[in-house]
Amino acid sequence: MAKHGLGRGVDTLFAGKKDGREKKEEQAMVKLSLIQPNPKQPRKQFSQEELEELSQSIKQFGVLQPLLVKKEGPLYEIIAGERRFRAAKMAGLTEIPVLIRDYDEKLSKEVAIIENIQREDLNAVEEAMAYQSLLTEYHLSQEELAERVAKKRSTIANSLRLLKLEEEILEYLRQNLLSEGHARALLSVENKEKRISLAKECVEKKWSVREMERRAKEEKTPTERQEKPKNLSSQWKTIVHGLEEKMKEHLGTKVKITARNEDKGKVEIEYYSKEDLDRITRILEGRGEE
C-alpha cells in the first residue's frame, strides 16, 4: 500500500535547529480548493495506479498524516505531501488536515526535496537530480547531504553518476524501462553512440542486468580487455577483490584494481566533482573528510 506519512527524518532534521530555522507551526483543516502544488516539486511523475490505491485507502481511513504547507497570500502551497493531496481530491474530499509552517522559499524547497528522497519513491533520475539540486543550490558537501538524508555518501555518489548518461537513456530510466543496474553497466561503456545503442537494444529485447553487464564488457577497447588480470591464482583474485572493497568503503567511491600479475598492476579511483576529488585527496593525505 502506498505510504501516507511524512518521513520522520524531515521533522527531526528541521525541528529545533539552532541556526535560526526553527519555525512556528499551526495545524488546521483547509479546503482543497485553497491548496496549490509546489511548482518546484522534485517529483515530476505520479503513478496513476499508486494514486488510485492511496485514494481508496483515504476513502476508508482518511488522511492519516497532514500535508506540510506554507501560506502564500490567500492560498497554501504544498511543501510536502502532493501525492496525498492528489489522492484526496480523487477520493472526493473537500478539506484536508495540514501543518502550516512559515518556511521561506529556500527552506521550503530543501524540505520538499529531502522529504521526497526519504520516502524513496522518486525514480532514479529524479533522485539524482534532487541530490544535485541540494549540492549546488545549498552548497552542501556530499558528507553533509548524506547525513541529512540518512544515506551512505557512496550511495549519493553512485546516484549522481547517472546524470552523466545521455538524455535518451535517462528517459528510459524515468519510464522504468531501464533499472539503475542497467544504467550502471552502461556507465562502463566509454563511447556515447555505443551506450545509446546498447540502451535501445536492451529496452527492445528486455535484457536482464546481467546480460547488459555482459554486453557492456564486450564493448570495452582492446587495451581495456588486455588489462584484465592474467594467470592469477584464485586466492590472489580474492585478495584483490577484498582490497577493492576495503578501499571503496574507506574512500566512499568506486575503486578498481587491475592486477597484471602478482607484482604489478594499477589502482583507479573515481571521483564525480571537484569537491569529491578534494574530499578523496584529504582522506589519502590522512586529513580525514573534515
Side-chain angles (χ1 to χ4, degrees):
M1 180 178 292
K3 299 178 183 177
H4 286 254
L6 175 67
R8 290 178 56 195
V10 173
D11 289 329
T12 302
L13 175 60
F14 294 100
K17 282 282 186 178
K18 295 182 180 180
D19 58 0
R21 295 204 286 184
E22 185 173 359
K23 300 296 180 181
K24 183 173 64 177
E25 177 179 289
E26 176 187 351
Q27 187 162 350
M29 292 294 293
V30 173
K31 291 182 179 180
L32 284 171
S33 60
L34 296 178
I35 299 174
Q36 61 183 7
N38 178 356
K40 296 182 179 178
Q41 152 78 267
R43 169 181 268 277
K44 304 303 180 185
Q45 296 178 331
F46 293 85
S47 164
Q48 187 65 25
E49 182 180 347
E50 289 182 3
L51 283 175
E52 289 174 358
E53 180 184 337
L54 182 54
S55 174
Q56 290 301 315
S57 176
I58 288 174
K59 285 180 181 179
Q60 184 175 0
F61 302 107
V63 178
L64 302 182
Q65 180 69 40
L67 274 63
L68 184 58
V69 302
K70 68 174 182 176
K71 201 79 167 62
E72 282 289 334
L75 302 177
Y76 298 86
E77 183 177 289
I78 299 172
I79 298 173
E82 184 172 340
R83 186 165 61 169
R84 275 167 280 157
F85 168 71
R86 291 178 179 230
K89 289 178 71 175
M90 290 174 62
L93 271 61
T94 58
E95 59 180 12
I96 194 169
V98 301
L99 289 178
I100 306 166
R101 291 184 181 170
D102 60 345
Y103 288 153
D104 58 27
E105 182 177 351
K106 179 179 179 181
L107 188 53
S108 294
K109 184 177 180 183
E110 187 176 355
V111 173
I113 291 173
I114 292 176
E115 192 266 351
N116 274 280
I117 291 171
Q118 288 180 333
R119 286 172 60 86
E120 297 185 341
D121 54 9
L122 297 176
N123 65 48
V125 180
E126 287 172 335
E127 183 172 349
M129 294 183 71
Y131 290 144
Q132 188 63 53
S133 178
L134 286 171
L135 290 172
T136 57
E137 294 186 37
Y138 301 98
H139 308 292
L140 298 175
S141 67
Q142 289 190 6
E143 290 73 31
E144 290 170 333
L145 178 55
E147 182 180 355
R148 292 197 180 198
V149 300
K151 292 181 182 287
K152 291 183 178 180
R153 199 213 64 83
S154 57
T155 299
I156 292 170
N158 286 331
S159 178
L160 290 170
R161 291 178 66 220
L162 299 179
L163 299 180
K164 294 182 177 181
L165 293 168
E166 290 68 36
E167 182 58 33
E168 297 96 315
I169 300 175
L170 294 179
E171 188 58 32
Y172 288 143
L173 279 169
R174 291 188 187 99
Q175 296 178 22
N176 293 317
L177 297 174
L178 291 179
S179 70
E180 286 188 65
H182 291 107
R184 284 194 292 270
L186 285 167
L187 283 166
S188 67
V189 178
E190 294 186 2
N191 184 278
K192 171 184 174 180
E193 287 72 26
K194 287 181 179 179
R195 277 198 302 268
I196 295 173
S197 176
L198 280 174
K200 288 180 178 178
E201 191 172 359
C202 178
V203 170
E204 291 170 0
K205 298 182 179 179
K206 294 181 170 51
W207 290 344
S208 66
V209 172
R210 180 162 299 198
E211 177 66 11
M212 172 61 88
E213 290 172 343
R214 186 181 72 79
R215 298 297 183 108
K217 285 181 181 179
E218 290 176 354
E219 295 295 339
K220 288 190 174 183
T221 64
T223 301
E224 289 174 317
R225 288 196 291 270
Q226 288 170 9
E227 288 177 347
K228 290 181 180 179
K230 293 182 178 180
N231 301 320
L232 295 179
S233 67
S234 58
Q235 181 181 6
W236 186 248
K237 289 179 182 178
T238 301
I239 291 172
V240 169
H241 178 70
L243 289 172
E244 280 183 339
E245 291 302 309
K246 285 183 179 180
M247 294 177 71
K248 176 181 177 181
E249 182 68 25
H250 182 61
L251 297 176
T253 191
K254 184 177 179 180
V255 176
K256 179 182 178 183
I257 300 176
T258 303
R260 296 188 179 90
N261 53 50
E262 294 190 4
D263 296 312
K264 294 182 180 181
K266 67 179 181 179
V267 177
E268 296 177 76
I269 302 171
E270 291 197 14
Y271 63 92
Y272 311 112
S273 66
K274 182 179 178 182
E275 179 267 338
D276 200 25
L277 178 59
D278 290 340
R279 179 191 64 80
I280 294 170
T281 301
R282 290 196 300 271
I283 295 175
L284 292 174
E285 290 177 346
R287 293 188 286 129
E289 298 198 12
E290 299 179 2

